[in-house]
Amino acid sequence: MHSRLAKVLHPLCGMPMVQWVVQAAQEAGCDVHLVVGHQAEAVKAATAGLPASLQDPPQGTGDAVRCAAAALPPEGTVIVLAGDVPMVRAETLTALLGGHGEALCTVLTALMPELEAQTSGYGRIVREGEAVTRIVEAANATETERQIREFNTGIYAFDVGWLVQEVLPNLQPHPPKDEYYLTDAVEAAAKAGRLQAVLHEDPSELSGINDRAQLADAEARLQSRLLLRWMREGVTVRDPASTYVDHSVTLSADVTLGPSVVLQGNTTVAEGVEIGSHCVLRDTRVEAGARVEPGSICTGAHIGPGCVVGPMARLREGAVLQEGSRVGNFVEIKKTTLGEGAKANHLSYLGDATVGAGANVGAGTITCNYDGHGKHPTHIAAGAFIGSNTALVAPVSVGAGAIIGAGSCVTEDVPDNALAVSRARQKTLPGKAASIHERNAERARAAKEDS
Amino acid sequence: MHSRLAKVLHPLCGMPMVQWVVQAAQEAGCDVHLVVGHQAEAVKAATAGLPASLQDPPQGTGDAVRCAAAALPPEGTVIVLAGDVPMVRAETLTALLGGHGEALCTVLTALMPELEAQTSGYGRIVREGEAVTRIVEAANATETERQIREFNTGIYAFDVGWLVQEVLPNLQPHPPKDEYYLTDAVEAAAKAGRLQAVLHEDPSELSGINDRAQLADAEARLQSRLLLRWMREGVTVRDPASTYVDHSVTLSADVTLGPSVVLQGNTTVAEGVEIGSHCVLRDTRVEAGARVEPGSICTGAHIGPGCVVGPMARLREGAVLQEGSRVGNFVEIKKTTLGEGAKANHLSYLGDATVGAGANVGAGTITCNYDGHGKHPTHIAAGAFIGSNTALVAPVSVGAGAIIGAGSCVTEDVPDNALAVSRARQKTLPGKAASIHERNAERARAAKEDS
Amino acid sequence: MHSRLAKVLHPLCGMPMVQWVVQAAQEAGCDVHLVVGHQAEAVKAATAGLPASLQDPPQGTGDAVRCAAAALPPEGTVIVLAGDVPMVRAETLTALLGGHGEALCTVLTALMPELEAQTSGYGRIVREGEAVTRIVEAANATETERQIREFNTGIYAFDVGWLVQEVLPNLQPHPPKDEYYLTDAVEAAAKAGRLQAVLHEDPSELSGINDRAQLADAEARLQSRLLLRWMREGVTVRDPASTYVDHSVTLSADVTLGPSVVLQGNTTVAEGVEIGSHCVLRDTRVEAGARVEPGSICTGAHIGPGCVVGPMARLREGAVLQEGSRVGNFVEIKKTTLGEGAKANHLSYLGDATVGAGANVGAGTITCNYDGHGKHPTHIAAGAFIGSNTALVAPVSVGAGAIIGAGSCVTEDVPDNALAVSRARQKTLPGKAASIHERNAERARAAKEDS
């Protein structure tokens, strides 16, 4: 992976790789126990709450399972799964369990596409009739055995009692690195005549991730699966190929997602909402009938019923838009509540503010919420009208129904229904433009000569 | 579909599904008559001007055709098409008509990919030699008949006179819902020895849409078809897979579309225009040699020859950019004409305005066009220079060649060549910053203690 | 191509088509000599520094090679390549050279997919056993020869001495256009019994580009190749299908590229940097640990270590962000240096400016750098605090630690640690809002009556 991040922590659709495997196992009804080694603390943090055993130093797959032996129940079945097979589905594990029966070991197998069969390093499944007799490692395979297309995916179900009491204690290290192989347990089951195989039809589901190209393939595949589910539940996805929806997102019927939309984290989108192209929403709740227009970026926001946001709006954490309110282009909202039907349509910054119902925030309005040391609140009451290009120096309040004249800098509270304005009188000097142009042109000439 | 919207009204490349079917039929030379039921008024509105019969209540496909019987001509050929097969092409219908000849019924067929052949619910085409003897429904098919890969697509050509006079009046209802089946008409033609089939090579073109995943597949396919046509006519599409062009858009030679571009509605783009990545244009006309830079969103705008727009500009309805004018980042233009060579390059809002040729609108300029009750115009004459951070309180005029000082709020008209400024004199208080910082830090400390 | 631009100059992943061919040849160890005709000067400019011969008028492929004859060395091997096969890889040319040996001509061949074999216009390779006896043009092929799937890709290695001295001088023109065919040289080699073929497994790599659909296919393929290389070197590409990285871009391990990212020109991105979705970077250097948030557009910028840019920021040429500085949404930076830890977080335009370490540029700040004739500098020293909605009229300086009051227009230099403010006193008129609303409502009524 050429990465500072442990392989199994790389995210896929917003969830660490290992968690996809954990989730599949849990959905198949398994209790999950982890064996962690590389970046152990980070892996444990990413799978919060799961019991884990530490394997340190790493001494092979058999050793890894042995590390967890004490945590296993005395009897029953255990599935052994690598953390880097994020595409595995619960149904597949259920099928493995269903086929296990009285075997000591059941290996999940798949068929290689023919092209790869000659060169693949996977262990081949040797059968006599239906019965599996053994698994031969690629390196030890005869020319005939190398023709076998059924291979070992490395996913197993074991009889726990047998594995823990009879097999793990007797594993022997293998040269060159003195590692303990889990395949020895498989071999022991074969020798006992109680090895089985369950053939899975789709080998790519069981592929391990070993570089970022495979990571990208896995993400595309998991994404397709998520989107297919949402489409079947009534979400219109204009272009599934360019749409990115995290596993943790919740959508509803008659939601429409435009091309190149990205939905992340705990985003929920209610019925009938339209999310325009190129929008990015993270941890944002959108209520029924709202519309988020193209190119808007929302994080930690709450967009009420029937609101219209964007295009090119930015909602940040704590932005709360009550019913029917409106945030337009080049407007940033942070820790601010917009009351019902309130509007901030153009080029504004509202931070640490409350805006009452029906208030109109003019273009170019800025809440000066930061004084270099702390943040301060601005309160705009219902029905107020903030003229364009106004600076509101917090802490400050504008009363209900008040009007602020365009271009003002409001430093003192404004009572209900008052007019406030801080505007120098316009001076108009007829014919004066010519001399200014002359001066500026001269200055430009001089600058050019200087350089 | 899990939708409040009737299935055939879901849009594909900007056109309702049913209209794609209508268009294919019209291109094949057919007069189209609709049979509408669910959301009948909306379907009629979406196919404006077409004659339609109402089927209420719905009683099957045979009943649907019977509803239209009175509207059909006394003789000739009628094609019966479902409204949910939007990928059907005119050429395919022409081929069906071409193969119809003297038959009473000609069914359009296709071959199932082998995998599906066992399970598919489609009717199988039973032939003796070349001749079609009958169509057997999947439910009634023998094991041998189920192996037949040629299936009935549900698209038919009928002899009108025979269908209307001899068949439709005699259709019998079928249990369990007492519906009338159009396949009975097919069977009647078979019995008369005058059933034919025209085999179409691409079954996916004739697929019906039954969920949103199929809707997305259809949209991708129609989009590919549209883009392929434009590419062959000389449009460079950097990445067809992420480009979305409605059916109603018109492009020209040497247009370049960047990745993730969305063009909608009646957008027309002239020769040599470059549309940057992530732009969204709707109902916008772009003239030759203009450039729309990445991330710009334009609706109802007219971009003149050689203009440069964006990046991240917003043009709204009634934005008219005359030759060589320039709108830059974070600028919104609405119902405003920019004269030749005029510029509004940064962070501005111009609404209900006219800007004369060569005028320069400084960064942060706002036209205060709304007073809480109505919208008012701003006129900036040719060659005027609007200093940055200026609010223009409409209605107001700035004369030709006039200069507005930065930071002004203009409330009175400015004559040609005048200078206008409304700026409080700068007061500079040496050393004063320290005490302000002290006060603000103290305030922050107090706030922290409070909380 | 329906284009004003010569075909071989159409760009692919930021490089003209012909340059891809040149680069493959150079990587295979060849000295490259061009034969140019259509738009000769532009083609030479696009392949700067390479020797070129002019073919004017165009008289066929044999004539083209003859034009370059004088520039070829007296002996050795020459590969002849068309300029419209941009997907050809150096390894493929190396294999051609490796197979050439003592032949007079070695033709690079490939196998047609079966479907095309009947109709393809390519010349077929006729072999007796292993040996190539001749190439038969499609037009002259017998029915049996048309079944041959091995075809001539039009890429050849020739013995230079033989080609230049014996073949080119003796080429004869062919009707109908009296053109000279390079295939006559191939035929001469066949007659001499010294024609060979090297079979290449992937025919699509050797496809010529003849329309924009093929251009788009080639771009997708070259893009995949570039991205695969970067992913294998440790770059996470969330969605390779919607990511566009020019050939000239340099990435590093643990870089993450979000969906729909576009990286162009001489962009370099250092270790651990995250580039959010929908960003467009051209000629921009991003240092380690920086983050560029979604929807940002950067051209000619330098983003220092640990900086955070965006979302929806715009950096233009000469934007230099020193370590840990921050540029937020709707902020445009041009020819401006932001010192360490300085911030410009909201709705600002900084042009031709320097901002000292730790300075805070408030929301809505505008440097008024243009006076209609020339550009002027603004200097903001370390630790200064620029209040929101401030216009800085350049040339102007704000001293270290100075504070500018919100809503000011700064026209005179501000000393270190001073407070400067240019703000009209706020006038608050209690109860006045009602009469203004009355006047505005009346005005709206009147306007309505007028219209």
Side-chain angles (χ1 to χ4, degrees), chain A residues 3-4 212 244 332 419, chain C residues 236 239 254 329 346 427 429:
Chain A
S3 183
R4 295 186 178 201
R212 313 257 185 156
Y244 312 90
E332 173 188 359
L419 167 70
Chain C
T236 289
D239 177 36
D254 277 335
N329 46 202
H346 331 258
K427 278 178 281 190
L429 308 174

Side-chain angles (χ1 to χ4, degrees), chain B residues 228 230-242 253-256 259-260 271 277-278 293-295 310-312 326 328-330 343 345-347 360 363-364 371-376 385 387-389 394-395 406-407 423-434 436-437 440, chain C residues 1-5 10-12 211-213 215-216 219 241 244 260 262 278-280 295 297 312-314 316 330-332 347-349 364 366-368 370-372 385 389-391 393 401-403 409-424 437 440-441 443-444:
Chain B
L228 185 60
W230 289 121
M231 289 192 282
R232 292 202 170 135
E233 292 188 13
V235 173
T236 289
V237 182
R238 277 267 89 92
D239 178 36
S242 72
D254 278 335
V255 163
T256 297
S260 294
E271 201 172 322
S277 56
H278 314 108
E293 298 203 332
M312 293 189 273
R326 172 91 183 85
N329 44 203
F330 318 127
K343 294 179 200 164
N345 275 339
H346 331 257
L347 290 149
N360 190 314
D371 62 10
H373 298 267
K375 300 284 171 83
H376 303 285
F385 182 93
S388 298
N389 246 7
R423 183 194 290 168
R425 200 178 174 76
Q426 179 177 336
K427 278 178 279 188
T428 304
L429 308 173
K432 179 74 177 173
I436 293 175
H437 277 302
N440 291 350
Chain C
M1 299 292 284
H2 297 289
S3 183
R4 294 187 178 200
L5 187 68
H10 279 260
L12 292 163
D211 66 27
R212 313 257 186 159
L215 187 75
E219 181 140 35
Y244 311 89
S260 295
V262 179
H278 313 109
C279 283
V280 181
I297 300 184
M312 294 188 273
R314 168 98 190 279
R316 293 169 55 194
F330 317 127
V331 175
E332 173 187 359
L347 289 149
S348 293
Y349 169 51
I366 306 281
T367 54
C368 313
Y370 181 56
D371 63 9
F385 183 93
N389 246 7
T390 288
V393 182
I403 295 178
C409 183
V410 178
T411 55
E412 298 161 18
D413 288 353
V414 179
D416 290 357
N417 302 311
L419 166 70
V421 65
S422 76
R423 184 193 290 166
H437 277 302
N440 291 348
R443 193 159 64 164

Side-chain angles (χ1 to χ4, degrees), chain B residues 33-45:
Chain B
H33 186 92
L34 294 172
V35 179
V36 296
H38 182 49
Q39 297 188 10
E41 289 313 308
V43 174
K44 286 201 279 190

Side-chain angles (χ1 to χ4, degrees), chain A residues 122-376:
Chain A
Y122 289 108
R124 287 353 187 236
I125 307 301
V126 181
R127 290 176 181 264
E128 282 184 13
E130 287 288 290
V132 177
T133 53
R134 62 194 183 98
I135 298 178
V136 60
E137 294 307 307
N140 304 328
T142 64
E143 188 55 32
T144 307
E145 286 165 345
R146 289 182 70 80
Q147 307 297 328
I148 298 172
R149 285 178 54 211
E150 185 177 8
F151 70 95
N152 175 10
T153 66
I155 300 176
Y156 311 98
F158 287 107
D159 179 286
V160 176
W162 172 79
L163 181 70
V164 170
Q165 286 149 40
E166 298 185 31
V167 180
L168 294 179
N170 300 315
L171 286 179
Q172 299 300 318
H174 289 259
K177 295 199 209 160
D178 285 340
E179 289 185 330
Y180 298 83
Y181 295 171
L182 191 60
T183 44
D184 285 359
V186 179
E187 207 174 312
K191 279 186 183 149
R194 290 171 68 192
L195 173 63
Q196 290 190 348
V198 167
L199 178 64
H200 183 64
E201 68 181 10
D202 176 7
S204 62
E205 178 188 320
L206 307 171
S207 298
I209 306 298
N210 289 304
D211 65 28
R212 313 257 185 156
Q214 293 170 342
L215 186 76
D217 285 346
E219 181 140 36
R221 192 181 163 107
L222 292 170
Q223 187 63 95
S224 291
R225 224 187 261 171
L226 286 168
L227 289 175
L228 185 59
R229 195 189 77 196
W230 289 122
M231 288 191 284
R232 290 200 171 137
E233 293 188 12
V235 174
T236 289
V237 182
R238 277 266 93 91
D239 177 36
S242 73
T243 305
Y244 312 90
V245 172
D246 274 2
H247 79 287
S248 46
V249 166
T250 305
L251 305 175
S252 311
D254 278 335
V255 163
T256 296
L257 305 182
S260 294
V261 161
V262 179
L263 304 181
Q264 302 175 307
N266 293 314
T267 292
T268 66
V269 184
E271 201 172 322
V273 168
E274 191 170 339
I275 310 282
S277 58
H278 313 110
C279 283
V280 181
L281 274 65
R282 171 182 285 276
D283 298 332
T284 289
R285 178 175 165 205
V286 189
E287 295 199 61
R291 200 166 81 235
V292 185
E293 298 202 333
S296 297
I297 299 184
C298 306
T299 304
H302 179 170
I303 300 171
C307 291
V308 181
V309 173
M312 294 189 274
R314 168 99 190 278
L315 304 184
R316 293 169 56 193
E317 64 283 5
V320 176
L321 276 55
Q322 293 179 343
E323 186 162 356
S325 59
R326 171 89 182 85
V327 175
N329 45 202
F330 318 126
V331 175
E332 173 188 359
I333 307 275
K334 187 210 76 167
K335 288 188 186 165
T336 289
T337 297
L338 279 195
E340 287 188 18
K343 294 180 198 163
N345 275 340
H346 331 258
L347 289 149
S348 293
Y349 169 53
L350 299 177
D352 306 302
T354 58
V355 178
N360 190 314
V361 176
T365 297
I366 306 282
T367 54
C368 312
N369 59 329
Y370 182 57
D371 62 10
H373 299 266
K375 300 283 171 83
H376 303 284

Side-chain angles (χ1 to χ4, degrees), chain B residues 179-195:
Chain B
E179 289 186 330
Y180 299 82
Y181 295 171
L182 191 59
T183 44
D184 285 357
V186 180
E187 207 175 312
K191 280 185 184 150
R194 289 171 68 190
L195 174 62

